[in-house]
Amino acid sequence: MHLAYPAVLSALLFCTGLYGVLARRNAILVLMSVELMLNAVNLNLVAFDVWLSKAAEETLHSGQALTLFTIAIAAAEIGIGLAIVLAVHRNRGTADIDKLRDTAESHAADGPDSDAPAAEKAEATA
């Protein structure tokens, strides 16, 4: 098999994941798109490892070892990412990234950097 086939497939996977990260609004779909990008990297690592090991006739498969590390990192990333998404969903009631950004900006406007003094804010809420 030529090296071009897995390289093209890897590029397609990476571009699909990149589109998913940039276009999706749901945090879980963004995490899935990051996983697609990591899988594209894994495919490249294994393909180039096989290609280089045939050329050098060595038995050390460093690309496959790096792929195992990448899989372990991806599993930890998805576990922590899902825990964060669930915590945010429980607190805010949504996993929509745009709505979370809007609520964060509205809370930042009410913060201590606001122009109105604290006494005026207290009177306005009372």
Side-chain angles (χ1 to χ4, degrees):
M1 179 188 299
H2 295 286
L3 183 63
Y5 297 131
V8 168
L9 179 62
S10 176
L12 288 173
L13 274 175
F14 192 84
C15 290
T16 304
L18 185 64
Y19 173 74
V21 167
L22 296 176
R24 298 292 177 203
R25 301 196 191 292
N26 192 342
I28 294 176
L29 292 177
V30 170
L31 286 173
M32 289 174 58
S33 298
V34 169
E35 290 294 322
L36 269 178
M37 293 168 66
L38 287 172
N39 285 331
V41 170
N42 287 340
L43 180 60
N44 261 340
L45 283 171
V46 171
F48 277 98
D49 177 51
V50 169
W51 182 65
L52 289 174
S53 68
K54 283 182 183 177
E57 294 186 11
E58 62 181 43
T59 57
L60 180 66
H61 295 289
S62 57
Q64 293 178 12
L66 285 173
T67 299
L68 289 175
F69 284 119
T70 307
I71 289 171
I73 290 170
E77 175 258 336
I78 200 71
I80 292 171
L82 283 175
I84 291 171
V85 168
L86 285 174
V88 167
H89 184 70
R90 286 181 184 163
N91 289 337
R92 303 272 174 95
T94 185
D96 189 6
I97 295 173
D98 289 336
K99 289 180 183 176
L100 293 175
R101 187 177 344 156
D102 292 341
T103 57
E105 289 172 356
S106 67
H107 288 307
D110 295 338
D113 296 339
S114 179
D115 294 329
E120 290 179 13
K121 285 183 184 178
E123 289 175 8
T125 57

